[in-house]
Amino acid sequence: MEETLSRIITDLEEPHVPPTTNYSSSSLLLQQPPPLSESTLSDLHRLVGADNPELLGRFFEDLASKNLPLSSLARRIGSTMGSGSTPRLSLLASDVYLSLLLSPNAPVLSLFAPMAFVSLLQSVRKSVKSRLEIPEKDSGSGARAPAKPKRKGGRRGPASRNLSHVGNEDVEETEIDVRLFFDVLEKLVLVMDLIHLDRFPDSLKSLVHTVAELPTMVPDSFCNSSVYCKLTNLCSQLLRAALRPEHGEQANSAAEILKSLSPLILLAKSEVRTFALRFVTNCMVEVGKEWEGLRKAVVNLLKYLVQKAPEKSELRALAVDSIMEIFRALAHGDQVRFVEYVVKMTEGKSSFRLLAVDLILPIVMLLKDTLGVQANEVNDLWGLRCLQALIKRCSDSNAAIRARALSNLVQLVGSFAHDDRSCKILKEVLGIGEGVGQKTEATINNLLKIRCLDEKAAVRKAALHLLTKLTSFFSGSIDGVLVKTMGMACSDPLVSIRKAAVSALSETFRKFPDGIVATEWLHSVPRLISDNESSIQEECENLFLELVLEKISRAGSAGSSHNYSAPYKLHNKDRDFERQIDLLFPDGALALLREICNGEVVPWIKKICKSLGKKNRLRPVVATALQNMIRASESLWLSQSLPIEKWTAPQGAWFLLSEVSAFLPNAVDWEFLHHHWQLLDKTRLGCEIKTPLTQGDWHEDNDDVEPYSVTWAGDRVFLLQTMSNISLELPSDPAADLAHNLLKRIEGFNMHPTEVNAHVKVLRTVCKQKALSVGEADALILRWVRQLLSKATQVIEKFLSENTQANEEGSFFTPPRSGNRRGRRSMTTSELLSQATIAAYTVGSLVIVCPSADLSQVIPLLHKIITSGDRHPKSKLLPAPQVSLKQIAGSLYIQGWLTMGKICLVDGKIAKRYIPLFVQELEKSDSAALRNNLVVMMADFCVRYTALIDCHIAKITRCLGDPCELVRRQTFILLSRLLQRDYVKWRGVLFLRFLLSLVDESEKIRELADFLFGNILRVKAPLLAYNSFVEAIFVLNDCRAHGGHCSSQSSQSESRLFSIRGIDEISRSKRMHIYTCLLKQMAPEHLLATFAKICAEILAAASDGMLNIEDATGQSVLQDAFQILACKEIRLPTSRNSTLESPEMDEESNGSGGTSAAAAKGRVISQAVRKSLIQNTIPIFIELKRLLESKNSPLTGSLMDCLRLLLKDYKNEIDDILVADKQLQRELLYDMQKHESATARSEAAEAVAVMEKSGNNHTPQASNAPRGMSRQNKSSNELQSNSRVASALADAAAEATARSVLREVNRGTSTPPLSSLKVPKVRSCNGATGSRGAPSNRPREVLESLRRQPFGSDDEG
């Protein structure tokens, strides 16, 4: 050791800096001593590691004897630490330096130097960074990639495993590095007890930053999880030591530590983040209980983290978790103060509002008794303030904040729903329940209504989830508009929204099982059985089983146990029967059955029952319950001694039974069906029903029977369907009797048309089921079809002959015959007409059942019927009037067309001959019922004979403008279906005529059109709106003043029918609604292209003279073009707030990684296209402006408004144009200022005129004439003063508006004010003043004449 000591002294003696008394920092840097050699450093390491105090004492004495100060030794070691040849050498020097400081009796004050301390920290950093570079230097094909500085979650492997490719020497060196690294850190912890850093704040700051960064810098290959835990413990000890008072003011030290740890706290979930949070919550919060400054620093840390929280949703959620973890460790008073800060954040910027909304949820759920339930008096209402702030944010202007606020409110409502006392307070806050003011209740209802129809999908989804949670809070009744809003959401284009709406509406239906909720549920949910999403179809089936079929099954089982043998003695038997039947089947079962029969619901119920039946999910108990309900209703009716002919089964029972019996034939009792068949048939014979076509001939004594008879007719149809479903289970004899009875009924030709169809279908089914073979069944069916056709032909022919004879007799007898005989003949004709009509309908039904039947006898009769309304030129030569069935037998005339249409469907040759007649009748018919039926037939023809109908599509589309709403709606629906199935193509005038449905008078048609254009066409034909947009502008305005857009495909009457020409506000708003609807369907690149097409084909055409701007329609087209270019729908979406909204608002998105790259590429392309587009557009505007000004056109104002918006929206792109042409820039600025001034003045003049009118209405009384005169003069002065002020304000506003548009374009060069222009100033009569402030006495007429003279300035004229 003696030799070692001498070598050290010798090495230190050779080049050492002479001691000086004063060293500035700059001189120290300039005179850096040379580092120690590796051998000397090794000798020093052995010396301090020998654990020999005497030897170290001798070392310090020898240094003093050799005149070597300890500061020089510290500087030499510090130089070695800072500029060591290897990281290991620097770390070894650090270990030596710390060991010297820790040696017994060491002169710490002489050895410690700030520069050496900083070099020590640098060596620690260098040693860690060197481990990051090791895998890069010697990595092979199987080497592991270097870890990132920020650590992610996961366990670490041992160093030997991660460096298996490195040689043994490297492994040994690595182990030494790890051991040496931790020795340095452990000794540094001990040194912190010996030194005081309060005089060296930079050293303390460097220590804090280094220790805070160490956990993020250590790579995975450096140590395993246990060693990493040791590292974090040492870092915690160092940071805790830095908080001691001897190292500086604790508040400042704590602030520095927290500032260094905040980036770690905001990292993703990892051990680094855990270390930072654990240190803050376990160490700093505990120390802060004793030191006020430290406690405030921790509280301020939460506010600092709020300011630094990232905007991306995932990182923001982690920031919220970190903030809440620190929040839990705070005292209650500090927590309340932070909550107040969070509530204030809800009124700040959008990023702060979003973060505050995220914080309110965990804050309210974390703390106990948030709503003050357990306290006798609520002294602190911060919990309620949080709820109120959250509710307020549900109406935020930012969609992401609205969605997040609603979602968090859903969770809060769910958490408080299990506590009755919390529910009570929550109801008061939300404005739900009894004892709540109408204003508060209307607020929450309006909030839900608006948010369920929000433009953003995430907001609508969250609002529906909230509505689902709030269902249990509603009591008594629910707002009907809110229920309809949920029903509308069931048709949302997004799958997730539809699912949420179905869940919300179904939950409401469970709470309110009858009334408007049941009606809306049946109209909204069952239709989703046709949804494209299979999961929604399954949910629809499950809900129908639960909420409809199971409820009916329970009601039917409960009602079957009652006995009704004893009659009731009641006053009003009909009304009491309805009350009794409702009590017999509670829970709204009868209301459900009644609504199921609704024509809009029936198709979906049929489809659901069919789907459930195929899956064997229908239970026999449903059919049994329906039979029990019918029996119970009949028993209750008979028990009250009411006439059986007036009894009707519960509405909807027979319909539902007919649907489920197709899959549950064994569950239906044949005796039950036979009994009611006989009952219904007997009642029909006793009270003959007339077809609705002839109900006008009924006598008054039958009026009380009509409603029941019509209802029984519908019940008979469903009963027949049920009998058809179970016909396979019938024995042979009952089946034969049933077929015979059915045939006899059909031959009578006295049933309702719906009954005819049912009878024919059941008869065919019975024949097929009971025949021994298919051939036998076909022969049997053909036999009775021929029989019925023969009798139907006889009935129709008899009516035609009788009608012809009556017409001839009436024309030759003068005077006409007696009234009684004519009345008897009229009664006979009416009966024949009814039979002939039913016979014609029966022929159509038979044709569908048996297409091979012989129709040679029927077709001539039908031809005579459908052509009886035509007036041929030859008829004018006949003296006798022609027989017109269209006038005297309209029902048979319509039925003739229907039957002929069915014949055409089964015979192509006949269809080819008669389709032109159908088209001709569709054009000229004045009967809405016939036109509606003809449209249906033409749609069927289009499917069967597409080529024959294709040339007639334009004539069929005329029905889109039919005066009857039913015809328009039917045409729209049928053509939409054909278009979706590609039987009809979007070409010609078809698309342009469909546009008018968007602004139809009928709300139902408008809703259908919105759905077609907004959902179906966007996917099926995305380019359709773009390709036809400019043409739509000319067609809607009926403009023929353009050479390239003269509509030659349609006549002038048709173009007028499908146009909205006019310059009035209503017509203009309708056209703009259509334009905006089309623009919403376009992609951004199509919006730019549409912008260019409008400029090129309309604006440029107007400036070149191709578009006649003196024509009224041409002016209307040009004005529409200006409004379109100025509307917000044609502008490209901006990227503002994209970080807030994009990750959370993109429902149904794929979330692929290439989305951002594609978006960036699209932005670059769009910017280039925008620049080129606007550079080509501005010259067109300028040329058109000059043309309109030369013609003194009223469209100049519209052009200036449009140009002003373009200058604002495309400011960056216009810079290049206007900077290059300063004269053009000044002209545009001046013109815009003049236009704005004129507009503002006109508005001010209108306002003053209104004030004058209102002032003149108050006439003073005669008795108070002097006072009235003074008051009138005062009012006049006020009006003139207001006029002067308004004019001045108008000038100022116009100047400010014009300058704001081109402020940045001017680049500091302001336009000369109008005062600098040499124009005379003219003051008004009332506002003029003399030289001494006295009012001027100049006559008003003189001033007006001067004002009218041109002075060279347009805005003064």
Side-chain angles (χ1 to χ4, degrees):
M1 282 304 243
E2 295 294 337
E3 296 179 359
T4 301
L5 186 60
S6 63
R7 285 197 304 270
I8 296 173
I9 296 298
T10 302
D11 184 67
L12 292 175
E13 277 182 331
E14 290 179 357
H16 93 273
V17 181
T20 56
T21 54
N22 289 324
Y23 280 114
S24 64
S25 59
S26 60
S27 63
L28 286 173
L29 292 173
L30 294 174
Q31 300 179 4
Q32 281 292 340
L36 295 174
S37 63
E38 188 173 356
S39 59
T40 303
L41 192 61
S42 300
D43 291 340
L44 278 173
H45 187 265
R46 283 194 295 271
L47 177 64
V48 295
D51 196 14
N52 191 343
E54 295 180 0
L55 191 61
L56 283 174
R58 287 177 53 191
F59 172 67
F60 292 137
E61 291 175 359
D62 291 345
L63 288 176
S65 64
K66 300 294 184 179
N67 199 21
L68 295 173
L70 293 178
S71 60
S72 176
L73 175 63
R75 290 169 56 202
R76 294 285 299 275
I77 298 175
S79 179
T80 307
M81 290 186 291
S83 60
S85 59
T86 61
R88 183 181 178 278
L89 189 62
S90 299
L91 198 60
L92 186 62
S94 301
D95 183 71
V96 169
Y97 182 66
L98 293 174
S99 298
L100 287 174
L101 289 173
L102 293 173
S103 61
N105 301 322
V108 177
L109 295 179
S110 300
L111 280 174
F112 181 78
M115 295 300 297
F117 190 77
V118 172
S119 298
L120 182 147
L121 298 175
Q122 289 179 355
S123 69
V124 174
R125 287 169 174 257
K126 189 186 300 182
S127 64
V128 176
K129 290 181 179 180
S130 67
R131 298 312 311 152
L132 292 173
E133 299 173 358
I134 287 178
E136 295 180 357
K137 293 179 180 179
D138 300 325
S139 61
S141 60
R144 181 173 149 181
K148 295 181 180 179
K150 295 183 179 180
R151 290 174 45 82
K152 299 283 183 180
R155 298 186 59 84
R156 304 168 183 270
S160 59
R161 296 178 184 174
N162 295 325
L163 296 176
S164 58
H165 62 283
V166 185
N168 294 332
E169 295 179 0
D170 291 337
V171 174
E172 184 179 356
E173 183 182 357
T174 302
E175 294 175 354
I176 294 173
D177 285 346
V178 172
R179 186 167 58 250
L180 185 59
F181 176 77
F182 281 106
D183 288 342
V184 170
L185 291 182
E186 290 172 354
K187 292 177 181 178
L188 184 59
V189 173
L190 298 176
V191 167
M192 290 297 293
D193 296 334
L194 302 177
I195 61 177
H196 294 177
L197 297 179
D198 53 347
R199 295 180 301 160
F200 313 106
D202 293 338
S203 299
L204 179 64
K205 185 180 297 184
S206 180
L207 172 68
V208 170
H209 291 176
T210 300
V211 174
E213 291 179 2
L214 276 181
T216 66
M217 298 171 61
V218 174
D220 291 344
S221 60
F222 192 78
C223 54
N224 54 32
S225 57
S226 60
V227 180
Y228 186 80
C229 183
K230 180 180 179 181
L231 172 65
T232 55
N233 290 335
L234 290 174
C235 292
S236 299
Q237 295 177 25
L238 288 172
L239 293 177
R240 190 181 294 110
L243 289 172
R244 294 173 186 165
E246 57 265 25
H247 298 301
E249 188 176 352
Q250 283 186 314
N252 296 335
S253 300
E256 194 65 36
I257 292 174
L258 293 174
K259 185 178 180 181
S260 301
L261 291 178
S262 59
L264 279 64
I265 294 174
L266 296 177
L267 287 177
K269 288 187 177 181
S270 61
E271 295 176 356
V272 179
R273 176 175 175 269
T274 305
F275 150 71
L277 287 173
R278 187 180 299 141
F279 178 77
V280 173
T281 56
N282 296 343
C283 177
M284 300 196 71
V285 174
E286 292 298 327
V287 178
K289 294 179 180 178
E290 301 176 0
W291 299 94
E292 182 68 18
L294 190 57
R295 183 186 62 80
K296 290 182 179 179
V298 176
V299 176
N300 292 332
L301 172 65
L302 296 178
K303 300 179 182 179
Y304 181 78
L305 293 177
V306 166
Q307 300 290 332
K308 296 297 182 180
E311 293 183 351
K312 291 186 177 180
S313 57
E314 295 180 0
L315 298 179
R316 186 178 67 249
L318 292 172
V320 170
D321 293 341
S322 301
I323 292 172
M324 290 308 303
E325 191 166 345
I326 301 173
F327 179 82
R328 292 188 189 94
L330 298 180
H332 180 72
D334 295 332
Q335 290 178 341
V336 172
R337 281 189 286 273
F338 180 69
V339 170
E340 293 175 351
Y341 178 77
V342 171
V343 172
K344 292 179 181 178
M345 284 171 54
T346 59
E347 302 293 336
K349 297 191 301 183
S350 59
S351 58
F352 291 157
R353 298 200 305 272
L354 183 59
L355 187 62
V357 167
D358 286 339
L359 286 170
I360 286 177
L361 173 63
I363 286 175
V364 175
M365 298 183 68
L366 173 66
L367 301 181
K368 298 180 179 179
D369 195 20
T370 307
L371 302 179
V373 175
Q374 299 177 359
N376 295 328
E377 295 181 0
V378 182
N379 297 323
D380 191 1
L381 301 177
W382 62 267
L384 296 179
R385 290 202 299 271
C386 286
L387 277 176
Q388 293 170 354
L390 190 61
I391 295 173
K392 188 176 181 180
R393 287 306 102 207
C394 293
S395 300
D396 196 275
S397 59
N398 189 288
I401 300 175
R402 295 197 301 270
R404 180 66 66 179
L406 289 167
S407 300
N408 292 346
L409 190 58
V410 170
Q411 299 185 45
L412 285 180
V413 171
S415 63
F416 291 136
H418 304 291
D419 187 4
D420 295 337
R421 292 180 294 179
S422 297
C423 283
K424 183 178 180 181
I425 297 177
L426 189 61
K427 284 183 179 180
E428 295 177 358
V429 176
L430 296 175
I432 300 174
E434 300 178 356
V436 179
Q438 294 182 356
K439 183 178 180 180
T440 306
E441 186 174 1
T443 301
I444 191 64
N445 285 338
N446 291 334
L447 172 66
L448 291 172
K449 295 172 193 173
I450 295 172
R451 294 301 143 232
C452 286
L453 300 176
D454 196 273
E455 60 180 355
K456 293 296 183 179
V459 181
R460 300 196 299 272
K461 183 177 179 180
L464 290 168
H465 285 321
L466 177 60
L467 193 52
T468 304
K469 291 290 184 180
L470 290 178
T471 302
S472 59
F473 288 73
F474 291 110
S475 59
S477 61
I478 189 171
D479 189 1
V481 179
L482 196 58
V483 175
K484 290 196 172 293
T485 303
M486 288 187 282
M488 293 172 60
C490 292
S491 300
D492 196 274
L494 295 182
V495 175
S496 59
I497 308 299
R498 296 199 296 273
K499 288 182 178 179
V502 169
S503 177
L505 189 57
S506 300
E507 189 63 30
T508 307
F509 187 27
R510 292 185 184 97
K511 182 69 182 294
F512 306 96
D514 51 5
I516 188 175
V517 180
T519 301
E520 190 63 33
W521 189 92
L522 286 172
H523 282 260
S524 303
V525 176
R527 67 175 57 245
L528 296 178
I529 191 63
S530 298
D531 197 272
N532 295 329
E533 182 67 23
S534 58
S535 59
I536 295 182
Q537 297 178 13
E538 294 176 0
E539 182 67 16
C540 179
E541 293 174 359
N542 295 334
L543 291 172
F544 187 79
L545 278 174
E546 174 194 354
L547 300 177
V548 178
L549 296 185
E550 290 184 3
K551 181 179 292 187
I552 292 175
S553 300
R554 292 192 301 268
S557 301
S560 62
S561 60
H562 295 271
N563 185 14
Y564 306 101
S565 58
Y568 291 88
K569 296 181 180 180
L570 303 171
H571 182 65
N572 192 336
K573 294 185 179 181
D574 290 344
R575 186 175 300 174
D576 290 330
F577 171 78
E578 295 178 359
R579 184 167 59 250
Q580 290 292 331
I581 198 70
D582 288 335
L583 294 176
L584 181 61
F585 304 109
D587 298 332
L590 293 180
L592 270 180
L593 286 173
R594 280 193 296 267
E595 196 60 37
I596 281 175
C597 287
N598 189 286
E600 297 180 0
V601 181
V602 165
W604 315 117
I605 301 298
K606 290 182 177 181
K607 194 165 186 177
I608 292 177
C609 292
K610 185 177 181 180
S611 178
L612 291 174
K614 289 181 178 179
K615 297 177 182 179
N616 295 325
R617 300 186 62 187
L618 291 175
R619 297 186 300 168
V621 66
V622 178
T624 305
L626 291 170
Q627 295 175 77
N628 291 337
M629 296 177 75
I630 296 173
R631 289 192 185 101
S633 174
E634 182 185 2
S635 301
L636 181 61
W637 183 272
L638 294 175
S639 65
Q640 299 187 16
S641 302
L642 294 172
I644 191 61
E645 63 271 8
K646 292 187 177 182
W647 170 77
T648 56
Q651 192 175 357
W654 282 115
F655 162 68
L656 191 57
L657 183 61
S658 68
E659 295 300 323
V660 300
S661 62
F663 304 95
L664 303 170
N666 296 327
V668 182
D669 186 12
W670 166 250
E671 296 297 333
F672 166 79
L673 296 179
H674 188 260
H675 163 72
H676 285 88
W677 171 253
Q678 290 182 336
L679 180 63
L680 293 174
D681 192 55
K682 179 181 178 181
T683 306
R684 187 192 69 86
L685 295 175
C687 178
E688 187 71 31
I689 180 174
K690 304 293 182 181
T691 174
L693 302 174
T694 60
Q695 283 181 3
D697 299 329
W698 284 17
H699 298 287
E700 296 180 357
D701 55 348
N702 289 332
D703 288 345
D704 57 339
V705 183
E706 178 183 351
Y708 304 101
S709 301
V710 172
T711 304
W712 278 35
D715 289 346
R716 278 196 298 271
V717 172
F718 298 129
L719 175 57
L720 286 169
Q721 180 65 39
T722 307
M723 297 171 70
S724 174
N725 293 334
I726 69 166
S727 59
L728 185 60
E729 308 296 329
L730 290 179
S732 300
D733 294 339
D737 294 339
L738 177 62
H740 178 72
N741 291 333
L742 292 175
L743 186 58
K744 290 298 182 184
R745 291 281 304 276
I746 298 173
E747 289 178 348
F749 301 114
N750 54 2
M751 295 184 295
H752 193 276
T754 55
E755 289 186 273
V756 174
N757 264 334
H759 280 68
V760 171
K761 290 180 180 179
V762 174
L763 185 55
R764 182 191 59 176
T765 304
V766 172
C767 292
K768 285 187 175 183
Q769 295 290 349
K770 295 306 176 182
L772 299 178
S773 63
V774 178
E776 182 182 354
D778 292 340
L780 186 61
I781 293 174
L782 184 59
R783 188 190 311 163
W784 58 259
V785 166
R786 288 175 178 174
Q787 178 180 345
L788 290 175
L789 284 175
S790 176
K791 293 190 176 182
T793 303
Q794 295 175 6
V795 171
I796 297 173
E797 190 174 5
K798 181 179 179 181
F799 171 77
L800 292 178
S801 61
E802 288 288 336
N803 184 73
T804 304
Q805 182 180 358
N807 187 274
E808 291 176 354
E809 291 179 357
S811 60
F812 289 107
F813 283 96
T814 304
R817 296 190 175 185
S818 62
N820 293 333
R821 187 170 181 178
R822 188 175 182 84
R824 289 194 297 269
R825 173 62 63 88
S826 177
M827 182 64 65
T828 304
T829 304
S830 176
E831 294 175 356
L832 288 176
L833 173 61
S834 175
Q835 282 191 343
T837 303
I838 299 300
Y841 185 88
T842 306
V843 170
S845 300
L846 295 175
V847 168
I848 300 298
V849 169
C850 185
S852 61
D854 183 15
L855 303 175
S856 59
Q857 301 296 325
V858 180
I859 292 177
L861 298 177
L862 294 176
H863 178 83
K864 185 176 181 180
I865 293 174
I866 63 176
T867 58
S868 62
D870 297 337
R871 294 287 185 178
H872 300 287
K874 295 180 180 180
S875 63
K876 297 180 180 180
L877 303 177
L878 299 176
Q882 295 291 319
V883 178
S884 177
L885 293 178
K886 186 177 181 179
Q887 302 295 329
I888 62 174
S891 59
L892 180 60
Y893 183 76
I894 295 174
Q895 195 59 59
W897 283 105
L898 293 177
T899 304
M900 183 59 75
K902 294 177 182 179
I903 294 174
C904 291
L905 284 175
V906 299
D907 193 332
K909 294 181 180 180
I910 298 178
K912 191 173 183 179
R913 289 162 45 198
Y914 278 92
I915 281 179
L917 287 179
F918 281 94
V919 177
Q920 180 182 354
E921 185 67 22
L922 181 63
E923 289 182 313
K924 70 177 185 179
S925 175
D926 56 355
S927 172
L930 180 56
R931 293 197 304 274
N932 183 59
N933 289 321
L934 288 173
V935 168
V936 176
M937 285 187 285
M938 297 304 292
D940 292 336
F941 292 159
C942 189
V943 176
R944 185 67 62 88
Y945 313 110
T946 308
L948 294 177
I949 296 296
D950 189 59
C951 60
H952 301 295
I953 290 297
K955 296 180 179 180
I956 298 175
T957 55
R958 284 181 56 89
C959 293
L960 290 171
D962 195 274
C964 178
E965 177 189 349
L966 178 62
V967 177
R968 295 199 307 272
R969 185 167 74 245
Q970 187 81 284
T971 306
F972 183 89
I973 294 173
L974 294 174
L975 286 178
S976 300
R977 292 177 179 175
L978 294 174
L979 288 165
Q980 293 180 60
R981 297 168 63 185
D982 288 332
Y983 286 107
V984 177
K985 303 297 182 182
W986 289 105
R987 58 171 177 257
V989 298
L990 183 58
F991 176 75
L992 301 174
R993 292 184 177 182
F994 259 82
L995 293 178
L996 267 71
S997 300
L998 290 167
V999 291
D1000 195 272
E1001 298 176 356
S1002 172
E1003 183 179 0
K1004 292 183 178 180
I1005 298 179
R1006 292 198 303 270
E1007 292 176 357
L1008 291 172
D1010 290 335
F1011 185 80
L1012 175 68
F1013 285 93
N1015 298 280
I1016 299 176
L1017 290 186
R1018 176 181 290 183
V1019 178
K1020 191 171 181 63
L1023 297 178
L1024 191 58
Y1026 162 68
N1027 292 331
S1028 306
F1029 190 84
V1030 175
E1031 186 180 2
I1033 299 176
F1034 286 94
V1035 171
L1036 291 176
N1037 285 281
D1038 192 21
C1039 177
R1040 300 170 181 267
H1042 191 290
H1045 289 275
C1046 291
S1047 178
S1048 59
Q1049 298 181 3
S1050 58
S1051 63
Q1052 187 173 1
S1053 60
E1054 288 184 351
S1055 62
R1056 288 289 182 93
L1057 178 63
F1058 291 98
S1059 66
I1060 317 176
R1061 59 181 300 170
I1063 59 174
D1064 57 291
E1065 186 64 28
I1066 297 177
S1067 300
R1068 203 160 49 233
S1069 62
K1070 286 183 177 181
R1071 292 196 301 269
M1072 281 305 301
H1073 178 76
I1074 295 175
Y1075 300 148
T1076 54
C1077 181
L1078 295 180
L1079 291 173
K1080 290 177 181 178
Q1081 319 306 323
M1082 298 185 192
E1085 60 272 16
H1086 296 152
L1087 291 175
L1088 289 173
T1090 302
F1091 190 103
K1093 288 177 68 176
I1094 293 176
C1095 294
E1097 299 185 25
I1098 298 180
L1099 302 188
S1103 62
D1104 294 341
M1106 293 182 63
L1107 177 62
N1108 185 8
I1109 59 175
E1110 296 181 357
D1111 182 75
T1113 59
Q1115 293 180 1
S1116 181
V1117 167
L1118 195 57
Q1119 188 171 16
D1120 284 0
F1122 290 143
Q1123 290 184 348
I1124 293 169
L1125 295 178
C1127 70
K1128 63 179 182 179
E1129 285 78 11
I1130 203 172
R1131 305 174 196 170
L1132 289 181
T1134 60
S1135 58
R1136 297 178 181 178
N1137 299 326
S1138 60
T1139 54
L1140 287 180
E1141 297 193 10
S1142 58
E1144 299 177 11
M1145 308 318 299
D1146 292 338
E1147 291 283 333
E1148 316 287 334
S1149 62
N1150 297 327
S1152 58
T1155 304
S1156 59
K1161 181 180 178 181
R1163 284 194 296 270
V1164 173
I1165 296 175
S1166 65
Q1167 289 175 1
V1169 174
R1170 280 163 60 101
K1171 185 173 183 179
S1172 175
L1173 173 65
I1174 201 66
Q1175 287 178 351
N1176 296 327
T1177 301
I1178 291 299
I1180 297 176
F1181 268 90
I1182 295 173
E1183 186 66 25
L1184 185 59
K1185 181 175 76 70
R1186 293 170 181 170
L1187 176 64
L1188 294 177
E1189 289 176 347
S1190 66
K1191 295 181 177 293
N1192 197 18
S1193 174
L1195 296 176
T1196 307
S1198 300
L1199 183 143
M1200 295 303 298
D1201 290 335
C1202 179
L1203 183 59
R1204 177 169 57 86
L1205 290 174
L1206 289 179
L1207 291 176
K1208 287 184 178 180
D1209 295 339
Y1210 297 88
K1211 177 177 63 63
N1212 297 329
E1213 289 78 6
I1214 298 175
D1215 283 350
D1216 298 337
I1217 303 177
L1218 299 186
V1219 169
D1221 192 346
K1222 292 291 184 181
Q1223 180 63 28
L1224 175 61
Q1225 175 182 333
R1226 287 190 291 268
E1227 289 179 1
L1228 289 177
L1229 179 64
Y1230 177 75
D1231 291 341
M1232 290 174 57
Q1233 180 177 344
K1234 185 175 68 173
H1235 172 67
E1236 293 290 338
S1237 177
T1239 304
R1241 283 180 177 178
S1242 63
E1243 294 177 355
E1246 292 178 1
V1248 171
V1250 172
M1251 295 174 59
E1252 290 177 351
K1253 184 177 180 180
S1254 61
N1256 294 334
N1257 290 336
H1258 300 282
T1259 303
Q1261 298 293 335
S1263 58
N1264 299 328
R1267 183 182 300 177
M1269 290 296 296
S1270 62
R1271 185 179 303 171
Q1272 189 173 5
N1273 292 333
K1274 183 178 180 180
S1275 175
S1276 176
N1277 293 333
E1278 289 179 355
L1279 288 173
Q1280 293 171 354
S1281 177
N1282 291 336
S1283 176
R1284 186 171 62 255
V1285 171
S1287 179
L1289 291 176
D1291 292 339
E1295 183 177 359
T1297 302
R1299 290 181 182 277
S1300 65
V1301 175
L1302 298 175
R1303 184 179 292 116
E1304 296 187 10
V1305 179
N1306 289 333
R1307 302 189 185 280
T1309 304
S1310 60
T1311 303
L1314 294 179
S1315 59
S1316 65
L1317 302 177
K1318 295 182 179 181
V1319 291
K1321 305 296 187 299
V1322 181
R1323 299 183 181 181
S1324 62
C1325 180
N1326 295 293
T1329 56
S1331 59
R1332 299 181 181 180
S1336 176
N1337 294 324
R1338 296 190 187 100
R1340 185 182 182 93
E1341 293 76 13
V1342 176
L1343 296 179
E1344 290 294 334
S1345 64
L1346 289 175
R1347 184 175 286 112
R1348 294 191 184 97
Q1349 295 180 6
F1351 293 107
S1353 176
D1354 291 339
D1355 68 335
E1356 291 289 345

